[in-house]
Amino acid sequence: MAPFKIACTILFCLLLSSRSRCQNTIPHLAKKGNATQLIVDGKPFLVLGGELGNSSASSMEYLRPAWEKFKAMHLNTILSPVYWELMEPEEGKFDFALTDSIINTSRKNNLKVILLWFGSWKNSMSCYVPAWIKTNASRFPRAQDHTGRGLEILSAFSKNNLDADRKAFTALMQHLKETDRTHTVIMVQVENEIGMLTEARERTADADKAFNREVAPGLMDYLIAKKDSLVPELREHWSKTNFTASGNWETVFGKSLATDELFQAWYYAKYANAVAEAGKKVYPLPMYVNAALNYRNVSPGQYPSAGPLPHLMDIWQAAAPAIDMLSPDFYNPFFKQYNDLYTRRNNPLFIPEIRLEPSDAAKAFYAIGHYQAIGFSPFSIESAPEPKNEPVGKSYSILSQLSAEIGKYQGSGRMDGVLLDTQTRKQEIICGDYKLSVAHDYTLGWSPEASNPDWPMAGAIIIREGDNDFIIAGTGIVIGFSINGTETEKAGILQAEEGKYINGIWKPGRRMNGDQDHQGRHIRIPAGEWNIQKVKLYRYK
Ligand code: DGJ
């Protein structure tokens, strides 16, 4: 072979092997600027997900009609439970058939999977632990209330409980490592909505003993080192004892239900960490825990307490380094507020659950655009009655076209999002030299429905591709432009086109002008419509 040909062959082989090495890397998280990306097959992956209803994944027959729905809604990922009781019906005998069917069918349908480990705890309770655990409370102790009565919640203070959970979870991860060679499973949720209920903390003898011991040095050292950057809720609580730095839990934090909750959180988090750590040892997929939010402001014990809640972020982060993210489940209307809370302490935002409702369409744009979220996932996605018309599916269609661009601009400071409704009708965004005044479509007053007091939520993602070039995608918004910080110069629309990304390549459609941009005054995507527009601006005096 001629030397040139040999050199080319070697180069080709090297390229090929580095490419396949890249494709074989385990899904993982990577920092990019101020964002965290989920890297799958060597590329940033945006989770356009949907979580299955709790019992749906126990029957492939039941799920049969769902796969077409997922396609119609442009999902790229499903979040599916793994039920401990079905996976280990007899101690030490594992049955992965159901999980394999979910994974294989997802793969065939071009979907990735996030597995939800319904292990020791599911929405506080221990309903998914196998019968051999449920019926043997002397070996697998339960939490107790203050009267000494057992709760249907496994105790976080029992080594037997932890060992059993950890063994089962490790078996699952080992199985995934051996069988899921093409990485259909991209992430794992450890337990589900951990939280103590009816009490702020457990009352078993072991729990009481731990409560009266010194606060673990692991936590104390962490709190001392991070005293000035703790979440304000925790800092304020600790300040009541003048930041006492040694002693038992009540000495350090004072006597209160809030202290009881802190204590329980530390032990829940240690437990979840031990499970995650053991699983990661065999197969290190990204792992997160999810939280039932206490938005009604009731006392610890009356809401699922001690889970990965905003005021307990430091406790969870200190106790659980093997957990990559603390994630909010949204069943309340305070979307911005809780996302703000969950993006503190460098916590990457992933929304594993949100009630399936029309506003999800706008919220997905906002979470991904503004908070650089890793992904979004309405709950009980298979129950969407009309998948083709499901609003979040329309947003996913746009977001899936844009996912390469989103991956490129995440963490760069050039991407933002807006969320508008009847209360918040306008928002300003500074993008380089320009100020974008984004308003709800109904502020124009052109829609006959604008007189309805409840406006549909509107949302958009805005990417500044170049100094004067923007990608604007979303639903229900109208955007005016000005030059930031001066009135002597104005901003005009040089050109706007709608279009589609097909396999990552922009294919322009209509040139938007005249009535569509109000003769150059603004960019508009009407409510009830979804669109991507590429916009070029210019300055004039
Ligand atoms: C939140 C839980 O995490 C889900 O598993 C499910 O129980 C929903 N709540 C039901 O609304």
Side-chain angles (χ1 to χ4, degrees):
M1 216 190 285
F4 177 71
K5 232 174 167 183
I6 295 173
C8 285
T9 314
I10 292 172
L11 193 67
F12 180 72
C13 291
L14 280 174
L15 276 175
L16 205 70
S17 82
S18 80
R19 193 158 167 250
S20 67
R21 235 183 294 133
C22 221
Q23 282 172 348
N24 279 332
T25 18
I26 299 172
H28 60 278
L29 298 176
K31 265 271 180 230
K32 179 166 176 275
N34 64 358
T36 300
Q37 297 185 310
L38 173 61
I39 308 292
V40 176
D41 299 332
K43 284 190 291 204
F45 185 86
L46 185 66
V47 176
L48 304 175
E51 180 165 325
L52 303 182
N54 291 164
S55 304
S56 306
S58 66
S59 159
M60 293 309 286
E61 184 56 37
Y62 182 87
L63 269 188
R64 200 189 299 276
W67 304 97
E68 274 305 309
K69 289 190 175 190
F70 302 153
K71 196 165 167 193
M73 288 186 279
H74 304 272
L75 260 63
N76 64 13
T77 307
I78 55 163
L79 281 71
S80 169
V82 177
Y83 315 101
W84 188 5
E85 61 171 341
L86 299 185
M87 195 192 88
E88 195 184 4
E90 258 182 77
E91 188 171 2
K93 295 210 172 118
F94 297 104
D95 180 350
F96 298 109
L98 193 56
T99 303
D100 287 345
S101 305
I102 293 279
I103 296 173
N104 293 335
T105 315
S106 299
R107 191 180 294 125
K108 270 189 217 138
N109 285 280
N110 245 328
L111 290 163
K112 296 289 186 189
V113 176
I114 294 174
L115 290 177
L116 317 174
W117 172 236
F118 283 10
S120 292
W121 300 295
K122 155 73 175 71
N123 299 28
S124 300
M125 307 299 281
S126 296
C127 51
Y128 282 102
V129 305
W132 53 270
I133 291 189
K134 271 189 191 159
T135 54
N136 192 350
S138 57
R139 185 171 157 214
F140 301 107
R142 289 146 187 263
Q144 287 171 4
D145 65 15
H146 64 280
T147 67
R149 238 177 273 142
L151 302 164
E152 204 164 30
I153 298 177
L154 284 190
S155 171
F157 293 84
S158 154
K159 188 165 177 317
N160 284 354
N161 292 349
L162 172 60
D163 283 346
D165 188 322
R166 188 162 41 185
K167 217 161 134 194
F169 186 69
T170 307
L172 171 65
M173 296 310 291
Q174 181 68 37
H175 179 74
L176 291 181
K177 181 186 174 174
E178 285 161 13
T179 55
D180 185 28
R181 299 280 177 177
T182 51
H183 306 135
T184 295
V185 180
I186 55 174
M187 207 151 57
V188 178
Q189 178 186 293
V190 181
E191 315 293 343
N192 189 85
E193 290 194 351
I194 296 171
M196 194 67 208
L197 261 182
T198 75
E199 302 284 338
R201 73 168 179 89
E202 291 186 37
R203 297 293 178 150
T204 55
D206 283 344
D208 284 346
K209 237 192 263 159
F211 190 63
N212 292 315
R213 272 200 303 264
E214 292 268 310
V215 172
L219 177 58
M220 222 50 267
D221 294 349
Y222 182 99
L223 294 181
I224 293 164
K226 306 217 184 249
K227 187 170 151 204
D228 294 328
S229 60
L230 297 176
V231 296
E233 306 93 299
L234 178 63
R235 200 184 140 81
E236 206 221 294
H237 181 62
W238 191 24
S239 73
K240 290 185 187 145
T241 64
N242 237 333
F243 302 106
T244 300
S246 66
N248 69 19
W249 288 80
E250 288 190 339
T251 312
V252 172
F253 296 109
K255 187 176 168 59
S256 69
L257 283 178
T259 294
D260 289 359
E261 187 189 26
L262 285 185
F263 160 80
Q264 184 72 31
W266 174 256
Y267 284 94
Y268 268 151
K270 292 292 279 179
Y271 190 117
N273 185 63
V275 173
E277 194 177 61
K280 277 188 168 181
K281 220 173 243 164
V282 294
Y283 189 40
L285 286 180
M287 295 189 188
Y288 70 93
V289 285
N290 63 334
L293 304 178
N294 165 32
Y295 64 98
R296 293 206 167 90
N297 253 339
V298 289
S299 307
Q302 285 162 37
Y303 60 87
S305 307
L309 289 160
H311 60 290
L312 303 170
M313 288 177 88
D314 295 290
I315 307 287
W316 273 83
Q317 287 183 333
I323 300 287
D324 300 296
M325 295 183 286
L326 313 176
S327 296
D329 288 350
F330 278 99
Y331 295 90
N332 73 46
F334 310 113
F335 193 68
K336 287 185 185 180
Q337 182 188 328
Y338 277 92
N339 282 327
D340 284 343
L341 295 175
Y342 272 94
T343 43
R344 300 177 301 176
R345 309 279 314 117
N346 294 323
N347 184 50
L349 184 66
F350 173 61
I351 300 177
E353 284 185 51
I354 183 163
R355 185 178 288 124
L356 179 63
E357 58 189 16
S359 66
D360 291 353
K363 289 171 179 165
F365 285 122
Y366 185 59
I368 291 163
H370 183 66
Y371 298 100
Q372 328 279 303
I374 281 170
F376 191 86
S377 166
F379 179 71
S380 193
I381 193 72
E382 72 283 9
S383 64
E386 280 186 74
K388 276 211 152 47
N389 294 324
E390 187 61 43
V392 75
K394 296 186 180 180
S395 295
Y396 278 3
S397 159
I398 300 272
L399 287 163
S400 59
Q401 293 176 54
L402 282 176
S403 61
E405 300 299 313
I406 291 169
K408 185 165 156 198
Y409 289 103
Q410 266 169 341
S412 68
R414 299 174 80 101
M415 185 168 85
D416 208 339
V418 287
L419 186 66
L420 301 166
D421 58 14
T422 327
Q423 278 75 45
T424 309
R425 299 178 174 205
K426 292 190 172 154
Q427 201 183 316
E428 279 184 351
I429 294 186
I430 308 298
C431 282
D433 291 347
Y434 294 101
K435 182 155 81 185
L436 276 55
S437 304
V438 192
H440 194 288
D441 179 40
Y442 284 8
T443 57
L444 292 176
W446 294 344
S447 162
E449 286 164 51
S451 57
N452 181 336
D454 265 332
W455 294 0
M457 257 195 193
I461 187 163
I462 294 163
I463 298 174
R464 185 164 66 94
E465 282 190 293
D467 289 347
N468 306 306
D469 297 280
F470 294 83
I471 301 174
I472 295 171
T475 176
I477 45 116
V478 48
I479 309 185
F481 304 91
S482 55
I483 307 293
N484 187 32
T486 173
E487 306 225 319
T488 53
E489 255 192 309
K490 292 187 176 177
I493 296 171
L494 196 60
Q495 95 173 46
E497 60 191 17
E498 70 174 2
K500 282 190 165 47
Y501 277 92
I502 299 174
N503 299 326
I505 310 282
W506 176 246
K507 300 276 181 217
R510 283 183 300 171
R511 182 69 167 254
M512 306 299 266
N513 210 336
D515 290 345
Q516 275 58 55
D517 71 351
H518 200 192
Q519 342 313 314
R521 291 186 185 88
H522 59 225
I523 292 297
R524 180 179 181 217
I525 305 175
E529 291 183 25
W530 278 254
N531 204 343
I532 308 178
Q533 296 191 23
K534 279 207 177 211
V535 178
K536 197 183 253 314
L537 301 181
Y538 76 110
R539 310 159 74 118
Y540 66 94
K541 284 192 178 166

